[in-house]
Amino acid sequence: MTCFSRPRYLLLASVIGMGISVGGVAKAIPPVLQPEQSDVASLPPMGDHSVLVATGEQSFSLYDGDRGRILGTLPADMVDNIAISPDRKDIYVAVTMWSRGDHGTREDFLRDYDAHTLDLTHEIELPPRGLAVFKQQNLELSQDGHWAFIFDMSPATGVTVVDLHEHKAARTVDIPGCALVFPWAHDGFSTVCGDGSLTNVALAGSSVNVTHSKPFFDANRDPVFEQSQVDRKTGKALFVSYTGQVYPVTLGATPVMGKSWSLQAAAGQPAAGTGQQEQAWRPGGDQPFAWHEADNKLYVLMHVGGYWTHKQEGTEVWVYDVTTPHLLQRIDLPSPAKGITVSPDTANPQIYAMLASRKMAILSATTGQVEKTVEAKSSGISIVPQP
């Protein structure tokens, strides 16, 4: 029988570690353990390259886009909505919960988190809000940070206006047949209606004035994306249809409709139609648009497909000059993406692409080169601070 023995120095070390005296060697003195010092970390001010990413179905994680590192996490379900205050000091989350998990007494809240510490500072009771997978247009903030606008469905549709200074719901405005929120530059918001028109809500002190526009798109033949974009500083909006038709609108009590244009035609291609077998480059995804207001560029997640493929992941990002309009750049993605956002700065803007693989690709918006790929476990949705 073959025997194996450990080296002598290992045997001696293990014996000494057991506190046994061998050959006159004194017992080992156990190390003095230092008491653990606990602390609470704080975050630096939210920068231009900060991005909040929906991670899984129960949280949003704050990332540093320059380092590709996670900074902190906020609890948020897949039907919750989240917004960053214009001054970047607060993060608001609209939440819904039931007393027995998936049933029981329902409660709706708007939670206010300190963006520096991620502490919950206020919790504001709400009427029943509209529940859908995350859409930024379900929770919007006024440009001055005074008001939050929350889309409701109970089952009639409405918008709850929350006074963020007083931390209470101020009023609910009924918007029958309409949905979502697109804030004006000052004192109001618009919603999109089922007949292709806008309902416009002007807030003046304690009074509310509601007006209605004429239809400006065909809601039955070619509806617009719910994720259409608005510049909160100017109140200008870009409503984009499933085929890629862009409708510029200056929001207000009397909206001003601009001349529509085609994403494909602006790229030198035939405009896409509504034929099921008509293959064309089309917008699509969970979050297919990002409007970089600082230089008036529209970033669009594009794929090749037929009509009604508006949920399909994109393989390229097309960048448009909105003022002309014309295509400036086509950016290949490392793999198909569900959604995009773009940092608000002009010095070194970044594209945050939420890939179908659940990774986050960080690209230079200038060169289109991939700078980092992060294992973010993303569900496809992300938001960035306002400029």
Side-chain angles (χ1 to χ4, degrees), residues 3-336:
C3 297
F4 297 91
S5 61
R6 290 187 294 177
R8 295 178 61 189
Y9 63 85
L10 286 180
L11 180 60
L12 178 60
S14 62
V15 172
I16 292 176
M18 294 172 58
I20 301 174
S21 177
V22 179
V25 179
K27 291 184 179 181
I29 300 175
V32 177
L33 298 178
Q34 298 297 325
E36 182 178 349
Q37 300 295 323
S38 63
D39 63 354
V40 178
S42 297
L43 297 176
M46 194 177 297
D48 286 339
H49 289 180
S50 299
V51 56
L52 270 168
V53 178
T55 46
E57 297 180 351
Q58 295 186 343
S59 66
F60 270 79
S61 295
L62 180 63
Y63 279 87
D64 178 344
D66 290 325
R67 296 184 296 167
R69 294 181 58 183
I70 189 171
L71 300 176
T73 299
L74 288 173
D77 208 327
M78 64 179 295
V79 295
D80 295 342
N81 291 287
I82 194 163
I84 301 171
S85 66
D87 63 8
R88 308 182 184 185
K89 294 181 179 180
D90 295 88
I91 301 173
Y92 296 96
V93 184
V95 302
T96 300
M97 60 186 66
W98 286 263
S99 59
R100 298 192 177 187
D102 59 357
H103 67 286
T105 303
R106 172 176 169 170
E107 294 181 291
D108 294 77
F109 299 97
L110 180 64
R111 289 174 170 170
D112 180 359
Y113 291 92
D114 185 316
H116 184 56
T117 62
L118 300 187
D119 288 338
L120 177 62
T121 59
H122 298 93
E123 198 166 59
I124 305 167
E125 292 188 21
L126 299 172
R129 62 188 187 89
L131 299 183
V133 292
F134 172 83
K135 286 184 178 64
Q136 185 176 351
Q137 294 75 17
N138 281 0
L139 167 60
E140 280 283 10
L141 308 179
S142 62
Q143 180 56 35
D144 60 5
H146 190 168
W147 307 102
F149 308 120
I150 301 171
F151 174 58
D152 298 335
M153 186 180 291
S154 60
T157 56
V159 174
T160 294
V161 181
V162 178
D163 188 330
L164 298 176
H165 292 175
E166 298 294 329
H167 310 294
K168 64 180 182 180
R171 62 176 67 88
T172 297
V173 182
D174 293 330
I175 52 168
C178 307
L180 308 177
V181 180
F182 298 89
W184 303 351
H186 304 285
D187 304 325
F189 60 89
S190 294
T191 67
V192 180
C193 305
D195 64 352
S197 67
L198 295 173
T199 288
N200 313 291
V201 180
L203 305 173
S206 59
S207 63
V208 174
N209 183 41
V210 179
T211 60
H212 304 276
S213 78
K214 294 180 179 180
F216 65 98
F217 68 93
D218 189 334
N220 292 318
R221 180 178 177 275
D222 190 20
V224 297
F225 280 88
E226 296 173 330
Q227 297 88 354
S228 294
Q229 299 290 287
V230 62
D231 180 349
R232 297 161 187 81
K233 288 186 176 180
T234 64
K236 294 182 178 180
L238 296 173
F239 293 95
V240 186
S241 76
Y242 288 0
T243 64
Q245 199 70 19
V246 182
Y247 299 92
V249 180
T250 301
L251 302 176
T254 306
V256 179
M257 313 300 178
K259 183 180 179 181
S260 64
W261 53 278
S262 161
L263 292 175
Q264 296 85 0
Q269 301 182 11
T274 57
Q276 292 292 338
Q277 303 302 320
E278 182 182 348
Q279 296 295 297
W281 281 99
R282 301 175 185 272
D286 294 341
Q287 192 174 6
F289 311 110
W291 189 2
H292 196 256
E293 296 99 336
D295 53 15
N296 220 12
K297 292 179 180 178
L298 179 66
Y299 293 75
V300 184
L301 196 57
M302 300 288 282
H303 69 278
V304 175
Y307 183 57
W308 215 253
T309 57
H310 55 282
K311 293 293 186 181
Q312 185 171 321
E313 295 92 349
T315 57
E316 294 185 10
V317 175
W318 291 16
V319 187
Y320 291 88
D321 181 341
V322 172
T323 56
T324 317
H326 71 279
L327 180 68
L328 297 171
Q329 187 180 12
R330 290 175 63 169
I331 299 173
D332 287 318
L333 293 171
S335 63

